[in-house]
Amino acid sequence: MDHNLQQEMAVLEAAAVILLFLAFLLYPLAAALTSLRYKAWPLYRIFLWCLGVFTIAITFTGPLADFAQANFVGHMWTHLLLGMLAPLLLLFAMPMTLLLRSLPVPMARNVSVVLKSRLFKLLSNPIAAFTLNIGGMYVLYLTNLFAWMHQSLIVYALVHLHVFLAGYLFTASIIYIDVTSHRLSYLFRSIVLVLSLAAHQILSKMIYADPPADVSRTEAEMGGMVMYYGGDFVELVIIVILCYQWYKATAPRKTEPAEKV
């Protein structure tokens, strides 16, 4: 990485840290203010939001970010944090629900209209989210895009933005935690999740066997294992959550025994 690009990266890191710091502050503030008018916002959601923001932050600045720019293994760890763990943590913080109850009623209605639009319904469909998420990873690692992102600041920023947004969109399309414009069947979402798990594992094996451009075989093998086992762990958590939701939705409800006359 040349000197000019390093300077540009430093500017990008500073901008990312500022935005994340604002997000870190605004969420608890909104939670506190809305708790004065509505039911108290759970503290664990504030904790999950702050943890999710911190997870994103360490992928942009600090030792892990520096390691990721110089080593494929570090890059793969940041990929897991940015595209899988952070979206899961932030989703459980329910940011859209907090946003809707923080806005004035007319503005909240406008946001609801956007969430119910055809475009948003299409993007939040598990198949579309799967294509954007997994398809983006295949493009990144099986083309020259991975090498290109280390030569262009714009490409670097866009790739990281896509990794996070696609990861969040996919997670939200599989497990319904926050506001959603539609509710598809558990069976359909389970099938898409299994396909995602399989595609993720296949890609990790392809990286292991055929390293991306400018990546040594040793780094590719270690990075492939990080993707394989680390990705399995996060996806296992999503599977458990989906199965638990499915069980709660379909389990027979207990009824009180009738009183004897």
Side-chain angles (χ1 to χ4, degrees):
M1 185 180 297
D2 60 41
H3 181 67
N4 290 335
L5 187 56
Q6 286 181 338
Q7 290 182 328
E8 293 175 352
M9 288 291 296
V11 174
L12 176 63
E13 290 178 8
V17 169
I18 292 173
L19 291 176
L20 291 170
F21 182 70
L22 290 175
F24 187 89
L25 292 180
L26 289 177
Y27 183 97
L29 178 61
L33 292 177
T34 57
S35 294
L36 299 176
R37 293 180 294 164
Y38 307 107
K39 182 180 178 180
W41 193 253
L43 291 177
Y44 77 88
R45 289 183 188 158
I46 300 176
F47 171 76
L48 290 173
W49 174 264
C50 294
L51 185 59
V53 171
F54 175 77
T55 302
I56 297 174
I58 62 176
T59 67
F60 280 98
T61 185
L64 180 59
D66 295 337
F67 180 50
Q69 293 177 19
N71 190 289
F72 185 73
V73 180
H75 162 82
M76 197 55 70
W77 276 112
T78 61
H79 165 85
L80 288 174
L81 294 175
L82 185 63
M84 300 187 74
L85 182 58
L88 183 61
L89 293 172
L90 296 180
L91 180 63
F92 267 91
M94 299 179 65
M96 290 306 302
T97 299
L98 180 59
L99 175 64
L100 289 174
R101 83 174 203 163
S102 301
L103 295 174
V105 174
M107 294 181 65
R109 288 175 178 170
N110 291 335
V111 173
S112 297
V113 170
V114 174
L115 295 177
K116 295 177 181 178
S117 65
R118 290 184 178 181
L119 177 60
F120 195 86
K121 286 184 178 180
L122 174 63
L123 292 175
S124 60
N125 184 284
I127 293 294
F130 165 82
T131 302
L132 290 171
N133 188 37
I134 301 298
M137 288 193 292
Y138 272 76
V139 172
L140 176 60
Y141 297 118
L142 300 185
T143 69
N144 292 325
L145 182 59
F146 178 76
W148 192 20
M149 69 175 282
H150 291 91
Q151 301 170 5
S152 170
L153 181 67
I154 295 177
V155 175
Y156 179 90
L158 289 178
V159 167
H160 281 72
L161 181 63
H162 173 85
V163 167
F164 169 72
L165 292 180
Y168 186 92
L169 189 64
F170 178 75
T171 306
S173 73
I174 298 298
I175 51 175
Y176 296 150
I177 302 295
D178 206 352
V179 175
T180 181
S181 57
H182 53 70
R183 290 186 174 272
L184 301 176
S185 70
Y186 287 99
L187 178 60
F188 176 69
R189 286 180 281 148
S190 298
I191 293 173
V192 176
L193 181 56
V194 170
L195 291 175
S196 172
L197 179 61
H200 201 259
Q201 291 180 340
I202 291 172
L203 178 59
S204 65
K205 292 179 180 179
M206 293 176 69
I207 292 173
Y208 186 97
D210 186 15
D214 299 329
V215 176
S216 68
R217 176 162 295 278
T218 301
E219 290 184 11
E221 291 177 353
M222 294 180 64
M225 288 191 290
V226 169
M227 172 184 276
Y228 188 93
Y229 294 108
D232 275 0
F233 174 77
V234 179
E235 287 176 327
L236 177 61
V237 173
I238 296 176
I239 290 172
V240 171
I241 295 169
L242 180 62
C243 290
Y244 176 72
Q245 291 178 334
W246 197 345
Y247 170 78
K248 284 189 63 177
T250 57
R253 297 182 179 179
K254 295 182 180 180
T255 57
E256 296 292 334
E259 295 184 2
K260 294 183 178 180
V261 179

